[in-house]
Structures are given as C-alpha cells and as structure tokens.
Amino acid sequence: MSGAKRSKTKGEITAEEATWFRQVAGAAVPAERENRTINFKPRQDIMEHIKDDVDVLVIGGGTAGTIAAIQSARSGQRTALLESGSQLGGVTTTGGVSFPGLFHAWGRQIVAGIGWELVTKAVALDSGEMPDFSVPPLRHWWHQIRINGPVYAALAEEACLQSGVELHYYEIPTEVSETKNGWKVKTVGKGISRLITTNQLIDCTGGADIVGVIGLPRLREEETQPGTLIFKLAGYDVESLDERIIQTNFMAAMEDGRLQHGDISNPQGRFIDFLGSGGENAQHVFGADSSTSDRHTKTNIAGRQSLLRILRFVRSLPGCKNARVMKAQAETAVRETYRIVGEEQISYQDYISGWIFDDAVSYSFYPIDLHDRDGVRPQPLAEGIVATVPLRALIPKGSTNLLVAGRSVSSDRLANSALRVQASSMAMGQAAGAAAALSASQDVTPSQIQIAELRELLLQHQAIVPIPEVT
C-alpha cells in the first residue's frame, strides 16, 4: 500500500537508524546498507583457551584463601589463586567487616603470621591505632582491629604478587576432577576458559563449594545464621535527639511495617544506640545465602532493600531529616552456609574447653557467637581458655590432595560460630597453605605429612602454633 510504513526485519538497519549512527556515533553507513538485512556469523574463537600447571591451587581469595596462597608460594610452590570477584580479602574487604579479630587472648598473642603481617601493615598505612592488648577487654570487640578495607585488599594483592602467586580474578570453576597426581580444574572467566592441573587443591570458597562439586559430604543447618549488609549512617547529631521520641517512633515503625524484623539486629534494644553507631554491623538479613548465584543475588537485594527502609525511617525522625548513607558495601556479608565433614570435627565442648588436639596447627579465640532472629548474645570463653584447630578438621573425610580453610572448617554449629571469624580463618589459611606446600613437595596427601614438619614450617613464617604437652 502506497505510503504505508514497512515493518523492519531482524538485522535490518533503517534510514532513521543510519542517520542516528552518523549524528551520534560519527559512523558513515553506506547507502547500499540502509534497509538491507545483515546476516551476522557467530565467531568460534572469541574464548581464549589457556592451560596451566601448578603445584597448589587455591580457590577463593577471601580471608583464608589469600593467606593460604601466600604461604604456599613463600614455601616455594608454584601457586595459583582463583577469585570470582575483583579483589582479595572476602568478608574483610568486599563484605566490609574491616575490623578483624581476635589475634590476642588473655594478654598474649595467639594468632600471628601472614594475616597479622597484612593487618599491621594496613593499620600503619592508614595511620590507624592498635588496641591495648595487654589488658583483657570487657567487650570482645574492643580487641578487634580497625583497618582500611581497600588498603588491606591492595596489600594482600601486593603480597601475593611479591611471593609469586598467579592471580586469576573473575573466574569460577566449572568442573573439578581427580587425577592420578592430584586434580584437574576447568574454569571460565571473561573471554577465557582455563584448564588447571594441580597436585594440591585448597577450597577456601567459604561454603565448601569445591567439596560439594567433587561430591564429598557437607553439613548445613535447616535455618542458617542471618547475614549483614555493612553500612554507616551520618548527617545527624545524636546528642541533640530526644531518646524517648526516637524510641516511640521506632516501635511504631516496627509495628506498622515501615521497618521489618531484621532491619535492626537487636529489635529489643534502644534505637538511639543504633543511631549512635551509625547502624554499623547492626542489621540482619534473614536467609542470607551465598551458595548459588541466585541465592546470593536475593541476599544482596534483601540487604539493600533493608538499608533503604532504614534510611527512609531515620530521615523521618525529628532532627534526622538530613540523614545519609556515609558508606555501604556492595555485598551482604554471609555468616553461614556449608561446613565440611572432616577427618576430625571440632565440637562445642572441644572449643569451650580449649582442647589441644594432637595435630593442632592453629589457635582460635572468640565468644560462641550464634546470630538468630532475636539478635545475638555472645558467650565468652572461660578465663584462660583458647581453642585449637587440628589439621584433620581441614581435610575432608576420605579425600586425597584436598584441604579446606575458613568458615567451612569441620565443626559443629556452635563451635563454628566462633571459628568462622577472621583471625581464626587467617590462621587456618596459613596452616592449609603450609600443609599443601609440604604435600606437594613430598608428593603425599596432607594426612601423610609429619605434624612436626608442618609446625616447623609455620614457625619459620612467624605463625603461632599450639604444641601439645608431652605427658
């Protein structure tokens, strides 16, 4: 029909689009290409295929994995570190829990080594201050160390590069298979597919993801601990606020749905205290789960939606109309997903009694710290008690050439609520890196190395190692 507008077929460039290209993109579209269908042929070579061979492969560049990789490389092993994100440090950096602890217990240092090295450097480069460790604190968090997360991430990366660790950001494993001499791991990243053969494999994913891919058993609670989106509010003067009016408004908001359960981790507490801390580490995201991309997506969305509810409510309070978000992390920090079934399991009784395992390789010190829907009520350890971590708790039961470090250590739920924290995870990471390095150099599986040799290697790298008393 004369004058009718002709419909555009797939792949066709119209005259209007050609004009737009000329004006906006500065691109000349030849007249013969206007109103012409273009058939695009997919390229078959867009992925770069790489093959690597290493002695030790660490998957997960978080709190434990970073330290494990540095230790392995400093021990002389060719080491690669695979991280799905853009930086190292995990919950300490991306998660925003930039106050790691606890490195001291009862007036003495119990965790040192590579983790302590990086933390002290981060404090110095940020002109920060260390707590007074000589006196046991009334609150455990008084001995947590404030650091600058981005500075820590850069220092961790620098330490990896200086020790020779091969860093692979933005890559995830797609296939893990056992070989005669170790493991074969296939990964995919931006424009890259990589095949890595390795003698020793360390799973530092935080949820024992690789252990799950391999098919070894893992433990998970029916309801896991809530996560937290770390943020800080500003733009108001707490001293000028009327606590009674603030609390009345808070209770009304919880009742009418402007705030939801979990937006404030301690719903029975004083909201003025929440405002005084800027809301830092005082929010709960129920069902927080990073074990799959879909669950992780929902967790991050839930954390940010909670932040919006909190911000809008705070700005509605008298004296807080200029409240703002001073900082907020890109990801919700997750406290709990999966734990391995190891050759040994650290029990709650083991932890609170300070049991020293025959194959203990590191210390852990933190209150039993189980978060739930009613908040958190830390259970401090009895005076003088310091828990230990055995090598067998880092070895998945029935496995060879495989180690795990970090919060997925073999433990029951209550013990894990204390073991999962940063200083303990750093110490476990260093022990796993040293164990993998020894295993690779001796061509044995980690359960076959001599504990005395492992402890000696850790001591050479300034770690603090539990030594059982000989009776």
Side-chain angles (χ1 to χ4, degrees), residues 61-63 83-98 147-150 152-153 169 228-231 296 300 304 328-334 422:
T63 307
E83 166 54 39
S84 62
S86 62
Q87 64 179 356
L88 302 176
V91 71
T92 307
T93 55
T94 304
V97 188
S98 52
I147 61 173
N148 183 308
Y152 179 88
Y169 292 133
T228 296
L229 177 66
I230 300 291
F231 59 83
H296 206 172
N300 288 329
R304 290 189 281 268
Q329 296 305 122
E331 293 191 11
T332 297
V334 175
Q422 288 129 301

Short mmCIF file of all heavy atoms in Angstrom, two decimals, residues 61-63 83-98 147-150 152-153 169 228-231 296 300 304 328-334 422:
data_model
loop_
_atom_site.label_atom_id
_atom_site.label_comp_id
_atom_site.label_asym_id
_atom_site.label_seq_id
_atom_site.Cartn_x
_atom_site.Cartn_y
_atom_site.Cartn_z
N GLY A 61 39.59 -16.27 47.12
CA GLY A 61 40.60 -15.32 47.61
C GLY A 61 40.10 -14.47 48.76
O GLY A 61 40.35 -13.28 48.81
N GLY A 62 39.39 -15.10 49.69
CA GLY A 62 38.87 -14.39 50.85
C GLY A 62 39.85 -14.36 52.00
O GLY A 62 41.07 -14.40 51.82
N THR A 63 39.31 -14.31 53.22
CA THR A 63 40.12 -14.17 54.42
C THR A 63 41.14 -15.28 54.55
O THR A 63 42.32 -15.04 54.82
CB THR A 63 39.22 -14.13 55.66
OG1 THR A 63 38.21 -13.12 55.48
CG2 THR A 63 40.01 -13.83 56.91
N GLU A 83 39.77 -16.31 42.09
CA GLU A 83 38.80 -15.49 42.83
C GLU A 83 37.72 -14.98 41.88
O GLU A 83 38.03 -14.39 40.84
CB GLU A 83 39.52 -14.31 43.50
CG GLU A 83 38.64 -13.20 44.02
CD GLU A 83 37.56 -13.66 44.98
OE1 GLU A 83 37.83 -14.57 45.81
OE2 GLU A 83 36.44 -13.15 44.89
N SER A 84 36.47 -15.22 42.23
CA SER A 84 35.37 -14.85 41.34
C SER A 84 35.10 -13.35 41.32
O SER A 84 34.47 -12.85 40.41
CB SER A 84 34.09 -15.58 41.77
OG SER A 84 33.71 -15.21 43.09
N GLY A 85 35.59 -12.63 42.33
CA GLY A 85 35.37 -11.19 42.39
C GLY A 85 36.53 -10.39 41.85
O GLY A 85 37.36 -10.88 41.08
N SER A 86 36.61 -9.13 42.30
CA SER A 86 37.59 -8.20 41.76
C SER A 86 38.74 -7.90 42.70
O SER A 86 39.67 -7.18 42.32
CB SER A 86 36.90 -6.88 41.40
OG SER A 86 36.35 -6.28 42.57
N GLN A 87 38.69 -8.41 43.93
CA GLN A 87 39.75 -8.11 44.89
C GLN A 87 39.86 -9.24 45.91
O GLN A 87 39.00 -10.11 45.99
CB GLN A 87 39.46 -6.79 45.61
CG GLN A 87 38.20 -6.81 46.46
CD GLN A 87 37.94 -5.50 47.19
OE1 GLN A 87 38.73 -4.57 47.13
NE2 GLN A 87 36.83 -5.42 47.91
N LEU A 88 40.92 -9.19 46.69
CA LEU A 88 41.15 -10.17 47.72
C LEU A 88 40.59 -9.68 49.06
O LEU A 88 40.32 -8.50 49.24
CB LEU A 88 42.66 -10.45 47.86
CG LEU A 88 43.37 -10.93 46.60
CD1 LEU A 88 44.87 -11.07 46.86
CD2 LEU A 88 42.79 -12.25 46.11
N GLY A 89 40.44 -10.61 49.99
CA GLY A 89 40.05 -10.24 51.35
C GLY A 89 38.69 -10.70 51.78
O GLY A 89 38.41 -10.78 52.97
N GLY A 90 37.79 -11.00 50.84
CA GLY A 90 36.49 -11.55 51.20
C GLY A 90 35.69 -10.68 52.14
O GLY A 90 35.47 -9.49 51.90
N VAL A 91 35.27 -11.25 53.26
CA VAL A 91 34.42 -10.53 54.20
C VAL A 91 35.13 -9.31 54.78
O VAL A 91 34.50 -8.32 55.14
CB VAL A 91 33.93 -11.47 55.32
CG1 VAL A 91 35.07 -11.85 56.26
CG2 VAL A 91 32.79 -10.87 56.11
N THR A 92 36.46 -9.35 54.85
CA THR A 92 37.22 -8.23 55.40
C THR A 92 37.18 -7.01 54.49
O THR A 92 37.23 -5.87 54.96
CB THR A 92 38.69 -8.64 55.63
OG1 THR A 92 38.72 -9.83 56.42
CG2 THR A 92 39.47 -7.55 56.34
N THR A 93 37.05 -7.24 53.20
CA THR A 93 37.08 -6.14 52.22
C THR A 93 35.73 -5.98 51.52
O THR A 93 35.01 -5.03 51.76
CB THR A 93 38.20 -6.39 51.20
OG1 THR A 93 38.01 -7.68 50.59
CG2 THR A 93 39.56 -6.34 51.87
N THR A 94 35.37 -6.95 50.70
CA THR A 94 34.11 -6.88 49.98
C THR A 94 32.92 -6.90 50.94
O THR A 94 31.93 -6.20 50.73
CB THR A 94 34.00 -8.05 48.99
OG1 THR A 94 35.13 -8.03 48.12
CG2 THR A 94 32.74 -7.94 48.15
N GLY A 95 33.02 -7.70 52.00
CA GLY A 95 31.94 -7.78 52.98
C GLY A 95 31.90 -6.62 53.95
O GLY A 95 30.91 -6.41 54.64
N GLY A 96 33.00 -5.86 54.04
CA GLY A 96 33.01 -4.66 54.86
C GLY A 96 33.26 -4.87 56.34
O GLY A 96 33.18 -3.92 57.12
N VAL A 97 33.57 -6.11 56.74
CA VAL A 97 33.86 -6.35 58.16
C VAL A 97 35.34 -6.02 58.37
O VAL A 97 36.19 -6.89 58.59
CB VAL A 97 33.54 -7.80 58.57
CG1 VAL A 97 33.67 -7.99 60.08
CG2 VAL A 97 32.13 -8.17 58.13
N SER A 98 35.63 -4.73 58.27
CA SER A 98 37.02 -4.27 58.28
C SER A 98 37.50 -4.00 59.70
O SER A 98 38.11 -2.97 59.99
CB SER A 98 37.16 -3.00 57.42
OG SER A 98 36.21 -2.03 57.82
N ILE A 147 40.72 -1.45 60.33
CA ILE A 147 41.61 -1.26 59.20
C ILE A 147 40.85 -0.64 58.04
O ILE A 147 39.61 -0.61 58.03
CB ILE A 147 42.25 -2.60 58.73
CG1 ILE A 147 41.16 -3.59 58.27
CG2 ILE A 147 43.11 -3.20 59.82
CD1 ILE A 147 41.72 -4.85 57.65
N ASN A 148 41.58 -0.15 57.06
CA ASN A 148 41.00 0.37 55.83
C ASN A 148 40.90 -0.78 54.84
O ASN A 148 41.91 -1.33 54.40
CB ASN A 148 41.90 1.49 55.29
CG ASN A 148 41.34 2.15 54.05
OD1 ASN A 148 41.00 1.48 53.08
ND2 ASN A 148 41.26 3.47 54.07
N GLY A 149 39.65 -1.17 54.49
CA GLY A 149 39.45 -2.34 53.64
C GLY A 149 40.16 -2.28 52.30
O GLY A 149 40.86 -3.22 51.93
N PRO A 150 40.01 -1.19 51.54
CA PRO A 150 40.71 -1.10 50.26
C PRO A 150 42.23 -1.18 50.39
O PRO A 150 42.90 -1.77 49.54
CB PRO A 150 40.27 0.25 49.71
CG PRO A 150 38.93 0.48 50.32
CD PRO A 150 39.03 -0.10 51.70
N TYR A 152 43.84 -2.81 52.78
CA TYR A 152 44.14 -4.22 53.07
C TYR A 152 44.10 -5.04 51.79
O TYR A 152 44.98 -5.89 51.55
CB TYR A 152 43.16 -4.78 54.10
CG TYR A 152 43.42 -6.24 54.41
CD1 TYR A 152 44.31 -6.60 55.42
CD2 TYR A 152 42.80 -7.25 53.69
CE1 TYR A 152 44.57 -7.93 55.69
CE2 TYR A 152 43.05 -8.58 53.95
CZ TYR A 152 43.94 -8.92 54.95
OH TYR A 152 44.20 -10.25 55.21
N ALA A 153 43.10 -4.82 50.96
CA ALA A 153 42.98 -5.57 49.70
C ALA A 153 44.21 -5.36 48.82
O ALA A 153 44.74 -6.31 48.22
CB ALA A 153 41.71 -5.17 48.96
N TYR A 169 41.43 -13.26 38.70
CA TYR A 169 40.15 -12.67 39.11
C TYR A 169 39.06 -13.01 38.10
O TYR A 169 39.34 -13.37 36.95
CB TYR A 169 40.27 -11.15 39.23
CG TYR A 169 41.14 -10.66 40.37
CD1 TYR A 169 42.10 -9.67 40.15
CD2 TYR A 169 41.00 -11.17 41.65
CE1 TYR A 169 42.89 -9.19 41.19
CE2 TYR A 169 41.79 -10.70 42.69
CZ TYR A 169 42.73 -9.72 42.46
OH TYR A 169 43.52 -9.26 43.49
N THR A 228 24.63 -9.79 57.16
CA THR A 228 24.58 -8.37 57.48
C THR A 228 25.16 -7.55 56.32
O THR A 228 26.24 -7.87 55.83
CB THR A 228 25.37 -8.04 58.76
OG1 THR A 228 24.76 -8.69 59.88
CG2 THR A 228 25.41 -6.54 59.02
N LEU A 229 24.42 -6.53 55.89
CA LEU A 229 24.98 -5.55 54.96
C LEU A 229 25.64 -4.47 55.82
O LEU A 229 24.97 -3.78 56.60
CB LEU A 229 23.89 -4.94 54.09
CG LEU A 229 24.37 -3.84 53.13
CD1 LEU A 229 25.30 -4.43 52.07
CD2 LEU A 229 23.19 -3.13 52.47
N ILE A 230 26.94 -4.33 55.67
CA ILE A 230 27.66 -3.33 56.46
C ILE A 230 27.49 -1.96 55.83
O ILE A 230 27.78 -1.75 54.65
CB ILE A 230 29.16 -3.69 56.54
CG1 ILE A 230 29.35 -5.06 57.22
CG2 ILE A 230 29.92 -2.60 57.30
CD1 ILE A 230 28.99 -5.10 58.68
N PHE A 231 27.00 -1.02 56.63
CA PHE A 231 26.84 0.36 56.18
C PHE A 231 27.03 1.27 57.38
O PHE A 231 27.10 0.82 58.53
CB PHE A 231 25.46 0.59 55.55
CG PHE A 231 24.31 0.31 56.48
CD1 PHE A 231 23.88 1.26 57.39
CD2 PHE A 231 23.67 -0.91 56.45
CE1 PHE A 231 22.82 1.01 58.25
CE2 PHE A 231 22.62 -1.20 57.31
CZ PHE A 231 22.18 -0.22 58.22
N HIS A 296 22.63 -15.73 46.19
CA HIS A 296 23.48 -14.60 46.52
C HIS A 296 22.84 -13.30 46.02
O HIS A 296 22.89 -12.26 46.70
CB HIS A 296 24.86 -14.81 45.89
CG HIS A 296 25.95 -14.09 46.61
ND1 HIS A 296 27.28 -14.26 46.32
CD2 HIS A 296 25.92 -13.18 47.62
CE1 HIS A 296 28.01 -13.51 47.12
NE2 HIS A 296 27.22 -12.83 47.91
N ASN A 300 21.79 -10.10 48.43
CA ASN A 300 22.25 -8.72 48.26
C ASN A 300 21.09 -7.75 48.06
O ASN A 300 21.11 -6.64 48.58
CB ASN A 300 23.23 -8.64 47.08
CG ASN A 300 24.57 -9.28 47.39
OD1 ASN A 300 25.02 -9.27 48.53
ND2 ASN A 300 25.21 -9.84 46.39
N ARG A 304 20.09 -4.51 50.57
CA ARG A 304 19.96 -3.13 50.11
C ARG A 304 18.53 -2.60 50.33
O ARG A 304 18.35 -1.41 50.64
CB ARG A 304 20.37 -3.02 48.65
CG ARG A 304 21.89 -3.18 48.45
CD ARG A 304 22.32 -2.86 47.04
NE ARG A 304 22.05 -3.92 46.11
CZ ARG A 304 22.91 -4.90 45.79
NH1 ARG A 304 24.10 -4.95 46.38
NH2 ARG A 304 22.60 -5.82 44.91
N ALA A 328 28.45 2.15 52.32
CA ALA A 328 27.70 0.89 52.26
C ALA A 328 28.45 -0.07 51.36
O ALA A 328 28.97 0.33 50.31
CB ALA A 328 26.28 1.11 51.76
N GLN A 329 28.49 -1.32 51.77
CA GLN A 329 29.19 -2.33 50.97
C GLN A 329 28.37 -2.76 49.77
O GLN A 329 27.14 -2.63 49.75
CB GLN A 329 29.53 -3.54 51.84
CG GLN A 329 30.48 -3.23 52.98
CD GLN A 329 31.76 -2.58 52.52
OE1 GLN A 329 32.10 -1.48 52.95
NE2 GLN A 329 32.48 -3.25 51.65
N ALA A 330 29.06 -3.31 48.80
CA ALA A 330 28.38 -3.79 47.59
C ALA A 330 27.72 -5.14 47.81
O ALA A 330 26.81 -5.51 47.07
CB ALA A 330 29.40 -3.90 46.44
N GLU A 331 28.16 -5.86 48.83
CA GLU A 331 27.61 -7.19 49.09
C GLU A 331 27.24 -7.36 50.55
O GLU A 331 27.86 -6.78 51.44
CB GLU A 331 28.62 -8.28 48.71
CG GLU A 331 28.91 -8.38 47.23
CD GLU A 331 29.71 -9.62 46.87
OE1 GLU A 331 29.86 -10.51 47.75
OE2 GLU A 331 30.17 -9.71 45.73
N THR A 332 26.21 -8.16 50.78
CA THR A 332 25.83 -8.56 52.13
C THR A 332 26.80 -9.63 52.62
O THR A 332 27.04 -10.61 51.91
CB THR A 332 24.40 -9.11 52.15
OG1 THR A 332 23.49 -8.07 51.76
CG2 THR A 332 24.02 -9.62 53.52
N ALA A 333 27.35 -9.45 53.79
CA ALA A 333 28.26 -10.44 54.37
C ALA A 333 27.45 -11.63 54.88
O ALA A 333 26.46 -11.45 55.60
CB ALA A 333 29.07 -9.82 55.50
N VAL A 334 27.87 -12.83 54.52
CA VAL A 334 27.17 -14.06 54.89
C VAL A 334 27.94 -14.78 55.99
O VAL A 334 29.17 -14.92 55.90
CB VAL A 334 27.00 -14.97 53.65
CG1 VAL A 334 26.40 -16.31 54.04
CG2 VAL A 334 26.14 -14.28 52.60
N GLN A 422 37.68 -13.76 61.44
CA GLN A 422 38.80 -13.53 60.54
C GLN A 422 40.16 -14.01 61.03
O GLN A 422 40.89 -14.67 60.29
CB GLN A 422 38.86 -12.04 60.19
CG GLN A 422 37.76 -11.61 59.24
CD GLN A 422 37.03 -10.39 59.75
OE1 GLN A 422 36.46 -10.40 60.83
NE2 GLN A 422 37.05 -9.31 58.98
#
